[in-house]
Amino acid sequence: MNTSNENPILVTGAAGDIGAIGRTVTADLLARGHKVRALVRREDERAQALRALGAEVVLGDLTDLDSMHRAIEGVSRLYFGMSISPAYLEATVNVAAVARHHGVQAFVNMSQMTVTQMSATQTTDSPQHKLHWLAEQALAWSGLPVVTVRPTVFLEGFFLRLAANGVRERDELALPLGNSRTSPISSLDVARAVAAILDDPTPHIGQVYNLTGHESTDVEHYARAFSEALGRTIAYRDVPLDAWTDALAKAGVPQHVLSHLATMATLHKQGSYDRMTDDLLKLTGERPTSMVEFVKLHSSEFARAQAA
């Protein structure tokens, strides 16, 4: 299947922001010689940047049937990924129905590792986790040629977006994770795995890949990695969960997202993210990005506030 690049590969969420998997997948596939149709929600500078890379940019909404027909018609394979949203299940089924109608040959679905520990009788307190589990059930019933990717917590989430302010202003890694062990992974590594699957999907159809980071260890260890990478002492402070979620709510984080993040923090303390696999190495031939490497890559975003 990897010998023919005549049909474009659809990449959803191609614009993205911090830790955008779709944008990286687009660039990787283009570098491999594939045609890429990049789906974005709006016309802006990010869409223009995708065109500059060589992608065909289409505007559309994952929950809109007509726009998904325009996006999927003529593609051979697609990557489906969507940010945390109450509409996640609707979007998944909408895209799956149109993909089946057009005979898509490979459907790479971005899920979450927590789903591995869920079932019809066991869920979590996160509505998003339930939506991911239900979406995986629907895709299994669809008969589509699905490949499922389940990463653990993203470095760009808890250790950048949610922690950078504390590192910049107080030299502290302030997170509500207790003394739990966790194996966060960079979205760049996950994107490389997705691109490798889409490049030659046939051997992967029907498979589930659980992607973990460089190591599984406690946040005190990661604080020392921050210190090494930044050249100054960064201390870990275990923040009470209620205080953390209150601060996020005041910052305008939607309740659906807030509930998901709070559940993830609780599951960390229960050991749910203390996992390691070699699936990334099998898919890409590369080791996961370490915390030191990640912090160095984003050092400007962790620079002291007065020096930034």
Side-chain angles (χ1 to χ4, degrees):
M1 193 180 291
N2 63 337
T3 59
S4 175
N5 297 337
E6 293 181 0
N7 296 103
I9 299 173
L10 176 65
V11 176
T12 68
D17 53 8
I18 296 175
I21 294 174
R23 183 172 52 195
T24 306
V25 169
T26 297
D28 194 322
L29 290 173
L30 288 168
R32 294 172 185 258
H34 293 282
K35 296 177 182 178
V36 177
R37 184 176 293 171
L39 180 69
V40 301
R41 286 183 61 93
R42 62 185 62 87
E43 183 63 59
D44 57 18
E45 66 279 359
R46 295 175 299 176
Q48 291 295 339
L50 290 166
R51 288 192 183 93
L53 286 175
E56 172 197 355
V57 176
V58 294
L59 273 63
D61 184 333
L62 294 171
T63 63
D64 179 68
L65 194 63
D66 290 338
S67 63
M68 284 306 96
H69 276 288
R70 291 193 297 272
I72 295 174
E73 184 176 10
V75 306
S76 57
R77 318 159 197 176
L78 69 81
Y79 161 70
F80 175 79
M82 185 181 184
S83 57
I84 302 168
S85 169
Y88 180 84
L89 179 60
E90 177 188 359
T92 305
V93 175
N94 192 61
V95 174
V98 178
R100 180 169 177 171
H101 175 80
H102 289 288
V104 167
Q105 299 169 359
F107 188 114
V108 180
N109 175 48
M110 181 58 57
S111 189
Q112 296 192 13
M113 186 170 290
T114 309
V115 176
T116 306
Q117 300 165 324
M118 296 171 65
S119 68
T121 59
Q122 184 173 350
T123 184
T124 77
D125 291 332
S126 165
Q128 184 68 28
H129 280 149
K130 182 180 179 182
L131 294 178
H132 270 280
W133 184 82
L134 288 171
E136 284 200 24
Q137 306 312 300
L139 289 175
W141 303 331
S142 71
L144 282 165
V146 177
V147 185
T148 301
V149 178
R150 295 174 180 165
T152 184
V153 60
F154 285 114
L155 282 166
E156 289 80 2
F158 274 78
F159 290 90
L160 178 56
R161 186 191 294 270
L162 298 175
N165 188 61
V167 175
R168 282 195 304 265
E169 297 186 357
R170 299 179 299 278
D171 286 340
E172 66 178 20
L173 192 57
L175 292 168
L177 303 181
N179 61 356
S180 62
R181 298 169 65 89
T182 183
S183 57
I185 187 169
S186 169
S187 67
L188 296 178
D189 292 332
V190 176
R192 280 192 283 266
V194 170
I197 294 168
L198 287 168
D199 182 53
D200 183 17
T202 302
H204 307 291
I205 299 300
Q207 299 299 310
V208 176
Y209 294 104
N210 294 297
L211 304 182
T212 61
H214 177 73
E215 59 188 336
S216 184
T217 186
D218 59 38
V219 190
E220 290 280 2
H221 176 90
Y222 291 133
R224 292 191 291 273
F226 268 76
S227 302
E228 177 185 342
L230 298 175
R232 67 184 200 268
T233 301
I234 306 298
Y236 170 51
R237 179 166 68 90
D238 180 24
V239 184
L241 182 58
D242 288 345
W244 188 70
T245 53
D246 286 346
L248 292 178
K250 290 177 181 177
V253 175
Q255 182 57 46
H256 181 85
V257 177
L258 198 62
S259 174
H260 180 62
L261 294 174
T263 299
M264 289 182 70
T266 300
L267 291 175
H268 266 91
K269 293 183 178 181
Q270 296 172 0
S272 295
Y273 293 92
D274 182 15
R275 301 189 59 190
M276 288 295 295
T277 76
D278 61 356
D279 284 1
L280 180 70
L281 180 62
K282 291 177 180 177
L283 288 168
T284 68
E286 299 179 15
R287 299 283 181 182
T289 302
S290 70
M291 185 66 80
V292 171
E293 293 168 334
F294 175 78
V295 177
K296 287 182 177 179
L297 181 64
H298 295 279
S299 59
S300 63
E301 295 168 82
F302 295 117
R304 282 200 177 110
Q306 61 267 30

